[in-house]
Amino acid sequence: DTGVSQDPRHKITKRGQNVTFRCDPISEHNRLYWYRQTLGQGPEFLTYFQNEAQLEKSRLLSDRFSAERPKGSFSTLEIQRTEQGDSAMYLCASSLYLGMKAFFGQGTRLTVV
Amino acid sequence: GENVEQHPSTLSVQEGDSAVIKCTYSDSASNYFPWYKQELGKRPQLIIDIRSNVGEKKDQRIAVTLNKTAKHFSLHITETQPEDSAVYFCAASSSSNAGGTSYGKLTFGQGTILTVHP
């Protein structure tokens, strides 16, 4: 499978713990996006990168969330001091710089207990 | 920022019937409108998209229409099959960062649960 891959697929953590997710985009794609999806809702934008530069963060993203894409390839999303409200599916997507077609990974389902 | 409204929230049809899902958007700078299909527990899959310089696009049983003046776009599925059952999301995006508007990120509608009965 040469599509977008995410790891882990599922994560259960205790409230207050830190978690980190990884996304590997399609290799030639310059843009990488993180979205969050809760049950019954559409994906909600969190942040995106063009190569290694983080160009925008959603105002909804608290300071507990941080994302990196150090070499313009894979990206990590870290959530510090997790709260129950962080429970959601975290989706990564990638697209070409000049193209708009975004392809999603299978997501990481986070459950905070 | 952009706001996308999607209707209906649920849609039930008989196999072979047509299904139509409608979305409206608020930002006139939006110029790219994809549709995603998401089956339970799976990733959203891009099924069709349209750019603002085109009024209609068709791919086999799926078509999308866009009315820029009214700021709405619709997904049409003909000859529905049980395997079309899924949640469908519309989205809007801008490829221009004029005026500081970020571009490339997708704003999604709330989703439509389509059920096709055999």
Side-chain angles (χ1 to χ4, degrees), chain A residues 15-79:
Chain A
R15 190 172 45 190
Q17 297 295 304
N18 299 343
V19 294
T20 300
F21 311 141
R22 175 177 171 129
C23 171
D24 287 89
I26 295 171
S27 59
E28 64 267 28
H29 285 186
N30 294 321
R31 287 173 167 264
L32 186 149
Y33 306 83
W34 286 98
Y35 290 85
R36 177 171 62 191
Q37 186 177 28
T38 53
L39 198 62
Q41 300 296 316
E44 179 183 43
F45 170 77
L46 294 179
T47 188
Y48 83 92
F49 293 84
Q50 180 177 308
N51 298 314
E52 66 276 9
Q54 187 175 16
L55 296 186
E56 186 177 352
K57 284 178 64 172
S58 168
R59 292 185 208 125
L60 302 175
L61 209 61
S62 79
D63 292 342
R64 298 183 296 105
F65 287 70
S66 63
E68 293 183 341
R69 194 183 182 197
K71 296 183 180 179
S73 56
F74 72 92
S75 175
T76 57
L77 177 68
E78 180 183 17
I79 309 174

Side-chain angles (χ1 to χ4, degrees), chain B residues 11-24:
Chain B
L11 180 58
S12 183
V13 300
Q14 289 295 127
E15 183 176 1
D17 288 349
S18 295
V20 180
I21 303 170
K22 299 181 179 182
C23 290
T24 59

Side-chain angles (χ1 to χ4, degrees), chain B residues 48-105:
Chain B
I48 195 167
D49 57 5
I50 191 168
R51 300 184 188 280
S52 60
N53 58 348
V54 175
E56 183 174 357
K57 184 177 179 180
K58 188 173 182 180
D59 183 3
Q60 299 183 344
R61 296 186 297 110
I62 294 173
V64 58
T65 58
L66 170 66
N67 183 328
K68 284 176 59 180
T69 303
K71 293 184 188 170
H72 67 70
F73 56 112
S74 301
L75 178 71
H76 305 253
I77 306 175
T78 59
E79 300 172 20
T80 54
Q81 301 167 3
E83 50 265 40
D84 294 330
S85 297
V87 182
Y88 290 80
F89 292 100
C90 64
S93 179
S94 172
S95 62
S96 167
N97 66 345
T101 301
S102 64
Y103 58 107
K105 72 176 186 183

